[in-house]
Amino acid sequence: MSKDEHLNESIISQEAKAFLAKENRSNHMEYMPDMEVLDSDLLDRVVADMESYDYDSYTAQDVRRALQHSRKTPEDFRALLSPAALPFLEEIAQQAKVEKEKHFGNSICLFTPIYIANYCENFCIYCGFNRYNHIRRAQLTYEEIDKEMAAIAQSGLQEILILTGESRQKSTVEYIGEACKIARKYFRIIGLEVYPMNSEDYAYLHQCGADYVTVFQETYHADKYETLHLAGHKRIFPYRFYAQERALKGGMRGVGFAALLGLDDFRKDALATGMHAYYLQKKYPQAEIAFSCPRLRPIINNDKINPMDVHEAQLLQVVCAYRLFMPFASITVSTRECARVRDNLVKIAATKISAGVSTAIGEHCTEAKDKGDAQFEISDTRTVDDVYQSLLNHDLQPVMAEYIYV
Ligand code: SF4
C-alpha cells in the first residue's frame, strides 16, 4: 500500500469511526427532505406485533393447533416460528410441501441477479459494499450492461434481477431506467433490488420495464437497525419500511420482503417480515408477494461476519412458516446458501432459485470481466445448466418465466 493509500485509509477510518459514537449519528426515524411520506399505520402495527411476540410462551399444543388449521392465522404463524415448533419440523415441512405443490405444482422459477454497479452511500456495518469498505468500485456502461445481459440471456434465463448498491448519485433513477430498457430486449421479467425511492420514481421504472421490487428491511428492530446502519439514506428506518408500498403505488406488479436473518433476533424479524407482507397484501390485494430468506455471509475485509444462531433447522423453520402463513407467496433461496441447502428448500417450500450467480460487477462477459468487487461470497456457484439439471433430478420443473406479456 502506498503512503497516500495509507493516509487515505486512516482518514476514512477516522471518518467511519466518527459514526460509531451515537451522538454523531442522525435520527434514524426522521425523514430526509424529498423523501415521500405515506399516510399509513402499517409500521406501527408491524412493530407492535413484533414487540409483543413472546415466542418462548408458545407450547407444543399451540403448534399442534396451528398445524390443524387449513388456513394459518397470524397466531398460528407465531406458533410455527416459536422454539416449540422445532420438534415438529418434519411435520411442518411435509405440510409446507403439500401447500407449495397445491399452488405451484412442481414448478421452480429460475433467475439471475446482475450487479451493474457497486457504489453505495450507506454505511451498513455488515455489508461489503458499505461506503467505507475498501473495495474496487465500478459501474457498467450501457454498452457493458447490454453485453452482460446478452451473455446471460444465452443461458436461457428469461428473468433478471438488477442490483446497483445504493448510491442515488452514481446510479441515478435514469441510469436504472436505461438498464431496464436494455433488459426488456432480453428478458420477460425484470426485478429491481436498488435503493428505496419515491412512488413517482417507481412509476417511471415500471414504464421502463421493471415489474417487481425487492427491499430487504434487514431488521425490524428499530433500535438495532440504528446501530447497524450508521449513515446514508438507508439509515431512515421508516422510509425503507414503506418502500414496498410506494412501489405498489408506482404500479409495480410485485414486491419482495426480507430480514437478514442473524442480524438480530431472527424469530422476531421473521415474524415482522411475514406480518409486513400480510398487512400489505390485505391493503393491496392485487400485490404479488415474495419472500427471500437470506442469512448473513462473510464479506471482504471482515470474514468474522456470520449468521449467529440461524442454523439449517431454523432456516427451514422460517421458510416453512412463510409458506404455510402465505401459501401464494413466492419464496426465493439465494446463493448465500450452499447447493445442498438450496435443493432441499426448493423441494419443500421455496419456489424460486437463482443460478449462474456472481455478486461482482461485470462477470458474465469478457468485455466487462472483473470490473468491481463482490458484495458477499456466494456458497452455490453452479451454472444455470447445473441448477436446471439438478431440479430435473429432483423431479422438479424448471421454469424460465412465470409471466408472458402479450
Ligand atoms: S447492504 Fe446495501 S445499502 Fe448497505 S452497504 Fe450494502 S449495498 Fe449498501
Side-chain angles (χ1 to χ4, degrees), residues 120 122-124 126-131 165-166 218 234 375:
C120 190
N122 294 320
F123 186 11
C124 312
Y126 52 83
C127 174
F129 277 6
N130 85 62
R131 75 194 213 192
E166 296 198 16
E218 320 294 13
K234 186 167 178 178
Q375 186 181 27

Side-chain angles (χ1 to χ4, degrees), residues 278-350:
Y278 174 80
Y279 290 136
L280 204 62
Q281 185 153 57
K282 283 215 167 308
K283 194 165 173 184
Y284 299 86
Q286 85 286 1
E288 293 188 23
I289 300 295
F291 292 109
S292 300
C293 309
R295 290 193 289 175
L296 274 177
R297 295 282 307 147
I299 62 170
I300 296 176
N301 303 338
N302 190 345
D303 59 7
K304 293 198 175 64
I305 285 183
N306 252 319
M308 292 192 291
D309 47 0
V310 195
H311 305 290
E312 281 178 32
Q314 286 80 5
L315 179 66
L316 178 62
Q317 181 185 11
V318 169
V319 177
C320 289
Y322 288 159
R323 167 61 56 226
L324 291 173
F325 182 45
M326 297 195 63
F328 300 102
S330 159
I331 301 181
T332 303
V333 266
S334 90
T335 45
R336 289 168 185 265
E337 303 299 334
C338 68
R340 179 184 54 77
V341 170
R342 297 177 91 210
D343 286 352
N344 211 20
L345 288 174
V346 291
K347 276 193 282 180
I348 296 167

